[in-house]
């Protein structure tokens, strides 16, 4: 479930608003979006995956809100953890072609 949005890191690009299939976020006229409907989150990780600055953290537990704080997510180095896991992060650039041998010849 979506837990934390880091307002200081957010660039107000609203990609999270655009990719969220359940409209969890509300775009603001000025400033970062707001997590308005947390209970609608389906833990699809789309917002975290598409956030270009790793300003979001989605907890893998889809059943409960854990009340994580900005500080606790920062201290645990959880921002960007999903993007790293799927190879969409700058730190995992070298792993992006790891599955190339599974591609069918064209």
């Amino acid at each position: 479930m979506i837990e934390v949005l880091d307002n200081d890191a957010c660039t107000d690009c609203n990609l999270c608003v655009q990719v969220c299939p359940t409209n969890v976020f509300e775009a603001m006229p000025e400033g970062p979006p707001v997590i308005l409907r947390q209970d609608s989150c389906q833990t699809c990780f789309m917002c975290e995956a598409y956030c270009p600055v790793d300003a979001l953290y989605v907890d893998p537990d889809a059943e409960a809100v854990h009340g994580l704080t900005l500080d606790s997510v920062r201290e645990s180095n959880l921002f960007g953890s999903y993007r790293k896991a799927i190879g969409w992060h700058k730190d995992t650039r070298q792993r992006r072609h790891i599955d190339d041998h599974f591609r069918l010849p064209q």
Side-chain angles (χ1 to χ4, degrees), residues 15-59:
L15 278 174
C16 57
V17 177
Q18 295 171 28
V19 300
C20 181
T22 57
N23 300 311
V24 168
F25 301 94
E26 187 73 31
M28 296 287 106
E30 292 183 25
V34 176
I35 301 171
L36 197 59
R37 294 169 282 280
Q38 187 177 29
D39 58 332
S40 294
C41 180
Q42 294 179 349
T43 316
C44 70
F45 293 95
M46 293 296 287
C47 60
E48 189 174 336
Y50 278 88
C51 181
V53 293
D54 298 327
L56 294 162
Y57 175 68
V58 177
D59 191 275

Side-chain angles (χ1 to χ4, degrees), residues 1 5 8 18 20 29 31 43 50 56 60 62 64 71 86 92 95 97 99-100 106:
M1 180 146 334
L5 185 143
D8 294 331
Q18 295 171 28
C20 181
T43 316
Y50 278 88
L56 294 162
D71 289 338
I86 63 173
T92 57
R95 294 181 25 213
H97 300 288
D99 293 327
D100 282 352
Q106 296 188 13

